[in-house]
Amino acid sequence: MAQLKPGSVAVPEIPVEERVELPASETAVIVVDMQNDFVKPEGRLFVPTAPQTIEPIRKLLEKARKAGVKVFYTQDTHYEGDPEFKIWGEHARYGTWGWEIVEELKPVEGRDIVVRKTRYDGFYGTPMDDLLRVYGIRNTVIVGTVANICVLHTAGSAALRWYKVYVPMDGISALNDFDYYAALRQISFLYKGVVVRSVDGIEFK
Ligand code: ZN
């Protein structure tokens, strides 16, 4: 098969906010797929820049929990024979070490909500939308991996349901720069999401 290989393409300008203040009671943090298979070098689908997002996400979660902000996690979950294994190889298989959310970002039992998903989109076939509505959420701060895959699809799905999307640049990771910036471009340009420079610029009031 021939490969399409264009030369360098320029990243269009992406507006970046330095600081946003979000109402704690109407905001949820969604941590996408921060599971061993994606975040740890021994994982089956390791994203090389994912480890450096652990600390920013940890800081964001600390702020969120202190302010009483709802925290959701998506957990990619597959079983034997899942068609996604044909695309990516086996990963995030239910019950394995790789499927587990990384130790550093473990959900708080009885507080945080873990939504298991079978595809890229955290809303597809899950109770995510229902849960966000129940809690009166209007804003979502989305972090995690992979930027142009599960983060983008979850952000897009949130935006299509008219949730406002905020994405801190130091909270997402991709397999390469093109994918990283392509995700930010789509979130900003297409879904009217807000790209924030860093988790440090996100406050809950
Ligand atoms: Zn998967």
Side-chain angles (χ1 to χ4, degrees):
M1 200 188 343
Q3 298 269 315
L4 176 66
K5 194 163 190 326
S8 62
V9 288
V11 179
E13 201 172 310
I14 299 170
V16 177
E17 292 290 338
E18 299 297 333
R19 200 172 172 282
V20 294
E21 200 176 77
L22 301 169
S25 62
E26 296 178 358
T27 302
V29 173
I30 302 177
V31 181
V32 176
D33 294 8
M34 287 298 281
Q35 295 160 258
N36 289 321
D37 266 347
F38 304 115
V39 180
K40 298 293 176 178
E42 314 80 46
R44 285 173 168 269
L45 264 182
F46 178 53
V47 179
T49 54
Q52 70 201 42
T53 65
I54 292 175
E55 182 54 19
I57 294 173
R58 196 197 59 74
K59 279 200 285 184
L60 178 71
L61 291 176
E62 193 174 82
K63 274 198 276 193
R65 289 179 182 128
K66 203 176 280 178
V69 167
K70 280 262 171 263
V71 175
F72 289 78
Y73 289 77
T74 67
Q75 186 173 25
D76 205 32
T77 301
H78 301 292
Y79 295 86
E80 191 173 352
D82 192 306
E84 243 192 45
F85 291 169
K86 291 201 182 84
I87 309 173
W88 302 104
E90 190 177 307
H91 68 281
R93 187 168 171 163
Y94 175 78
T96 62
W97 169 83
W99 169 75
E100 284 170 24
I101 292 164
V102 297
E103 195 59 42
E104 298 91 325
L105 302 175
K106 274 276 178 272
V108 175
E109 193 100 22
R111 183 206 188 280
D112 300 338
I113 298 170
V114 179
V115 173
R116 290 180 190 166
K117 65 177 185 52
T118 56
R119 297 247 59 201
Y120 309 148
D121 175 0
F123 287 76
Y124 178 76
T126 77
M128 182 71 88
D129 185 42
D130 194 43
L131 289 166
L132 293 174
R133 280 167 193 274
V134 161
Y135 293 114
I137 302 303
R138 298 173 48 167
N139 308 302
T140 57
V141 178
I142 302 181
V143 292
T145 204
V146 180
N148 63 314
I149 308 176
C150 294
V151 171
L152 178 61
H153 279 79
T154 300
S157 207
L160 290 174
R161 291 171 171 83
W162 299 112
Y163 296 104
K164 188 80 183 171
V165 171
Y166 296 82
V167 174
M169 292 177 71
D170 54 356
I172 63 168
S173 49
L175 290 166
N176 57 58
D177 282 355
F178 178 85
D179 292 349
Y180 175 81
Y181 287 107
L184 290 176
R185 158 76 175 173
Q186 291 298 72
I187 287 164
S188 172
F189 175 78
L190 183 59
Y191 296 122
K192 297 297 166 220
V194 177
V195 175
V196 187
R197 177 90 54 201
S198 160
V199 296
D200 296 330
I202 298 176
E203 297 298 336
F204 304 104
K205 62 161 197 278

